[in-house]
């Protein structure tokens, strides 16, 4: 049977079953009193290419505007991942300036924590915690993750889950269905990290319903993330090393910072560092702080604009045997993963791994990089073979072309999605504008300055942007590292 006939039968089946549809329902979490928040479920097919696919239910929260006459086109926001919940902790919109002018809508991605079904893999979450604590590493860690993925896959499929239905294109179609069932002619989209790829996919598939797009910390579909995951981290660390070197006070207090970092990681690799960690962070279990744990702690700190200027001092003191400032960073890095790993693997193993080079992925864990063998990749080739989902068409690994007004944010120190990935969208998106915030990192727009630019863009997506606050940013003041803690 031809694919066109199959698609027709699938669409006919959906029309008969009343899917897609919106069902009002209580909010996923108890919202604060007095909040104007409506909740419900978007009901859609699990596998959009199969006529007999069952329905799944995706939580939706609509935060009503405080304005007497709200703008007719709301903003839909979705966070990163894939595998991060949009709605699990959303209880209030009181501090959200967006609601002064328009509604905000939040959709739970198919397969994530509050969706029905949720593609949870608790054993993988636990193993990620073991790896974070240094109790599991190297080949043993990869083997354990692969075996856990196989068991999780068996559990999910036995419960009736069709793992091939959980892709970025399917979620993009969910977004379009939500717009239609809520009755909006057009709306605005905002995506963070992985959800920038999701919003770009909406532009590829459903541009007519999109008034404007805001992309923060861009993950374009054409990049091969796992091939450069460690190099992205090294880029950010080099900014810290070089930033300290050209700052008179920082360089005097912490000379040869790059060398000290290498010494610190090498020392931890030879023998776990003797950090005294809080029992609340370790849950009373031993933690081996080796090179990977040191690097992961610094990686997490690179997401915090307040901590970035202090990294030279933290690294320098730790290299000298004073771990007082490194210790809380390590503590913050401990604990199991909170991702919905079933969804995460379904997306990654169908959309990233099929287009990546195994040798380049393996090189990102090489000891030669001097990162203690830390693995910033998302999934291994071995794990994806076990997960066994169908690869997406090659088109999904190509740049998106669009003339929809788009605002792109990037953070200078972002260790996950480097600014270049945002800039490269300008080549294929004729109405895109790029804003890089010095001193900031992943999620660069979530501050006062970024908020001002965002609000102005939403009022007039083709109008001038108030960039004075962006131009006034000094960036990271590494002179702070010269002062005593």
């Amino acid at each position: 049977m031809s694919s066109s006939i199959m698609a027709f039968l699938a669409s006919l089946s959906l029309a008969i079953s009343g899917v897609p549809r919106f069902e009002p329902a209580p909010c996923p979490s108890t919202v604060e009193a007095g909040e104007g928040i409506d909740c419900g479920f978007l009901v859609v097919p699990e596998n959009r290419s199969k006529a007999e696919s069952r329905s799944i239910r995706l939580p939706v929260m609509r935060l009503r505007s405080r304005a007497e006459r709200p703008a007719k086109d709301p903003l839909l926001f979705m966070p990163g991942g894939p595998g991060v919940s949009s709605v699990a902790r959303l209880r209030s919109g009181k501090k959200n300036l967006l609601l002064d002018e328009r509604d905000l809508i939040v959709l739970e991605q198919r397969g994530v924590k509050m969706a029905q079904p949720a593609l949870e893999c608790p054993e993988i979450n636990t193993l990620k915690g073991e790896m974070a604590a240094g109790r599991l590493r190297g080949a043993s860690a990869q083997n354990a993750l692969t075996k856990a993925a196989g068991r999780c896959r068996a559990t999910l499929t036995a419960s009736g889950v069709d793992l091939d239905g959980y892709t970025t294109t399917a979620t993009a179609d969910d977004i379009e269905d939500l717009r239609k069932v809520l009755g909006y002619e057009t709306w605005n989209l905002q995506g963070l990290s992985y959800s920038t790829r999701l919003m770009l996919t909406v532009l590829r598939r459903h541009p007519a319903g999109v008034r404007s797009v805001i992309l923060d910390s861009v993950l374009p579909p054409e990049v091969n993330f796992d091939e450069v995951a460690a190099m992205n981290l090294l880029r950010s660390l080099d900014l810290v090393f070089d930033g300290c070197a050209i700052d008179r006070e920082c360089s005097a207090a912490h000379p040869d910072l790059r060398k000290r970092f290498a010494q610190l990681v090498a020392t931890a690799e030879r023998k776990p560092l003797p950090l005294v960690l809080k029992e609340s962070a370790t849950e009373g279990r031993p933690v081996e702080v080796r090179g990977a744990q040191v690097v992961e702690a610094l990686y997490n700190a690179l997401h915090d604009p307040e901590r970035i200027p202090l990294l030279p001092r933290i690294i320098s003191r730790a290299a000298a045997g004073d771990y007082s400032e490194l210790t809380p960073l390590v503590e913050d890095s401990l604990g199991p993963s909170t991702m919905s790993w079933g969804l995460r693997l379904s997306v990654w193993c169908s959309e990233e791994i099929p287009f990546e080079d195994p040798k380049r992925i393996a090189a990102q864990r090489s000891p030669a990089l001097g990162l203690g063998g830390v693995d910033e990749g998302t999934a291994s080739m071995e794990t994806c073979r076990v997960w066994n989902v169908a690869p997406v068409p090659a088109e999904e690994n190509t740049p998106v072309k669009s003339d929809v007004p788009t605002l792109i944010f990037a953070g200078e120190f972002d260790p996950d999605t480097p600014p270049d990935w945002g800039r490269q969208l300008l080549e294929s998106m004729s109405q895109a504008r790029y804003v890089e915030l010095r001193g900031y990192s992943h999620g660069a727009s979530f501050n006062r300055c970024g908020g001002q630019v965002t609000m102005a863009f939403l009022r007039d997506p083709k109008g001038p942007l108030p960039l004075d606050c962006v131009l006034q940013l000094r960036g990271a003041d590494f002179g702070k590292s010269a002062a005593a803690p």
Side-chain angles (χ1 to χ4, degrees), residues 57 72 142 177 223 413 425 457:
R57 294 154 62 86
K72 63 181 181 179
Q142 292 300 321
D177 282 343
V223 303
F413 288 92
L425 297 189
F457 174 76

Side-chain angles (χ1 to χ4, degrees), residues 65 76 141 174 255 403 413:
S65 172
L76 173 78
D174 295 338
D403 57 5
F413 288 92

Side-chain angles (χ1 to χ4, degrees), residues 224-229 348 352-353 356 360-361 364 377-379:
N224 293 332
F225 180 87
D226 305 275
E227 295 181 358
V228 292
W348 219 254
E352 276 292 297
I353 292 299
E356 296 189 337
R360 294 196 66 181
I361 294 176
Q364 296 300 293
T378 300

Side-chain angles (χ1 to χ4, degrees), residues 441-484:
S441 185
H442 205 65
S445 68
F446 293 88
N447 53 71
R448 183 184 296 274
C449 180
Q452 292 174 359
V453 178
T454 295
M455 294 288 283
F457 174 76
L458 287 172
R459 292 185 199 112
D460 183 0
K462 295 185 179 181
L465 297 175
L467 298 178
D468 286 352
C469 64
V470 177
L471 298 174
Q472 291 168 8
L473 292 173
R474 290 186 57 202
D477 181 5
F478 289 109
K480 293 180 178 180
S481 276

Side-chain angles (χ1 to χ4, degrees), residues 136-158:
L136 184 65
R137 57 186 182 273
S140 296
Q142 292 300 321
N143 291 337
L145 287 173
T146 297
K147 291 178 180 178
R151 290 189 288 270
C152 184
R153 187 187 197 285
T155 298
L156 291 174
T157 55

